Amino acid sequence: MDYGRPIQFGYFILPDATQPLRALEQAVRADAAGIDLIGIQDHPYQHRFHDTWTLLTAIAAGTKRVTVFPDVANLPLRPPAMLAKAAASLDLLSNGRLELGLGAGGFWEAIKAMGGPARTAGEAVSALEEAIEVIRLVWSGGRGVRFDGRFYQLAGLNAGPPPAHPIGIWLGAYRPRMLALTGRAADGWVPSLGYLKPEDMDEAGARIVGDAGDAFIEEVVPRVRELVAAGRGSG
């Protein structure tokens, strides 16, 4: 069955700073082996981890074809205007090999310990929705850009540079409001099987695509389950 887009294979690399070059070496091997995507988790308060954005930059510089993305960027510790600027810059430097995974945040005590805000679950989703708007405004390259949100503001920013290609915004989402936001405002969905079980994908998928949920459930979810089962069987 044709699902309208090619299947891509990704590799989730641990940003372990205790072996400083290991993640980069793994990425170079993955690129040579034909892996399509490399994702790096973003927990800046984890003392054993590299900074995710620095590692993504090193990986992009050391590889030739693989696409890189934060899986997912820690929004409370990365202001969206600066995150957009960094993403566009890396996309230009890598010739269009970046996508942007975003999360609302978690581990709030650790975020607070690093100087970030401590938000309620509701506030975190609202802040993420604002951040998506801010990021796209920064990517627009417009002049005198303004945004007046509860959590984020732009006050006459001369935005830019625009990225090399239309960067996709992929959300790490699990709960109803986040899933609805994914369908409404994002370009992709990057759930972790550590938080979302295959048997829960029907309901989650339906919440993302809304009225198109039946088609998603009937066509896409079974194929994803097959791929998950095949991957587990080969391990």
Side-chain angles (χ1 to χ4, degrees), residues 5 12 14 24 96 196:
R5 61 186 304 163
F12 184 76
L14 188 70
L24 181 56
L196 183 74

Side-chain angles (χ1 to χ4, degrees), residues 126-144:
S126 296
L128 175 59
E129 186 163 10
E130 286 188 13
I132 292 171
E133 293 187 59
V134 168
I135 288 167
R136 290 192 169 128
L137 285 170
V138 174
W139 287 343
S140 74
R143 296 295 177 263

Side-chain angles (χ1 to χ4, degrees), residues 18 30 43 70 89 103 129 133 140 162 168 191 228 231:
T18 66
H43 296 285
S89 297
E129 186 163 10
E133 293 187 59
S140 74
V228 170

Side-chain angles (χ1 to χ4, degrees), residues 45-78:
Y45 37 76
Q46 171 53 265
H47 70 279
R48 295 186 301 272
F49 284 0
H50 285 303
D51 170 66
T52 293
W53 210 260
T54 305
L55 179 56
L56 287 171
T57 302
I59 289 172
T63 56
K64 297 178 179 179
R65 47 165 303 282
V66 72
T67 292
V68 299
F69 70 103
D71 188 10
V72 288
N74 192 305
L75 180 63
L77 289 171
R78 298 190 186 273

Side-chain angles (χ1 to χ4, degrees), residues 109-163:
E109 288 302 315
I111 289 171
K112 185 177 178 180
M114 205 171 185
R119 292 174 177 152
T120 67
E123 288 172 339
V125 178
S126 296
L128 175 59
E129 186 163 10
E130 286 188 13
I132 292 171
E133 293 187 59
V134 168
I135 288 167
R136 290 192 169 128
L137 285 170
V138 174
W139 287 343
S140 74
R143 296 295 177 263
V145 175
R146 295 184 178 275
F147 181 84
D148 187 18
R150 175 185 173 192
F151 299 95
Y152 303 113
Q153 297 80 37
L154 298 174
L157 173 70
N158 291 329

Side-chain angles (χ1 to χ4, degrees), residues 72-222:
V72 288
N74 192 305
L75 180 63
L77 289 171
R78 298 190 186 273
M82 281 302 301
L83 184 59
K85 177 94 172 184
S89 297
L90 184 50
D91 196 52
L92 288 165
L93 291 168
S94 67
N95 195 27
R97 293 189 292 124
L98 177 88
E99 306 295 346
L100 182 59
L102 281 180
F107 305 101
W108 294 106
E109 288 302 315
I111 289 171
K112 185 177 178 180
M114 205 171 185
R119 292 174 177 152
T120 67
E123 288 172 339
V125 178
S126 296
L128 175 59
E129 186 163 10
E130 286 188 13
I132 292 171
E133 293 187 59
V134 168
I135 288 167
R136 290 192 169 128
L137 285 170
V138 174
W139 287 343
S140 74
R143 296 295 177 263
V145 175
R146 295 184 178 275
F147 181 84
D148 187 18
R150 175 185 173 192
F151 299 95
Y152 303 113
Q153 297 80 37
L154 298 174
L157 173 70
N158 291 329
H165 85 294
I167 296 174
I169 294 178
W170 304 345
L171 299 190
Y174 307 97
R175 298 194 178 191
R177 191 176 167 205
M178 279 286 288
L179 293 167
L181 177 61
T182 302
R184 184 172 68 253
D187 304 297
W189 181 36
V190 283
S192 167
L193 289 178
Y195 296 96
L196 183 74
K197 298 177 181 178
E199 58 267 25
D200 296 329
M201 291 187 67
D202 291 11
E203 181 180 356
R207 289 184 183 277
I208 289 173
V209 296
D211 293 339
D214 289 343
F216 184 92
I217 291 170
E218 292 172 5
E219 298 181 12
V220 178
V221 169

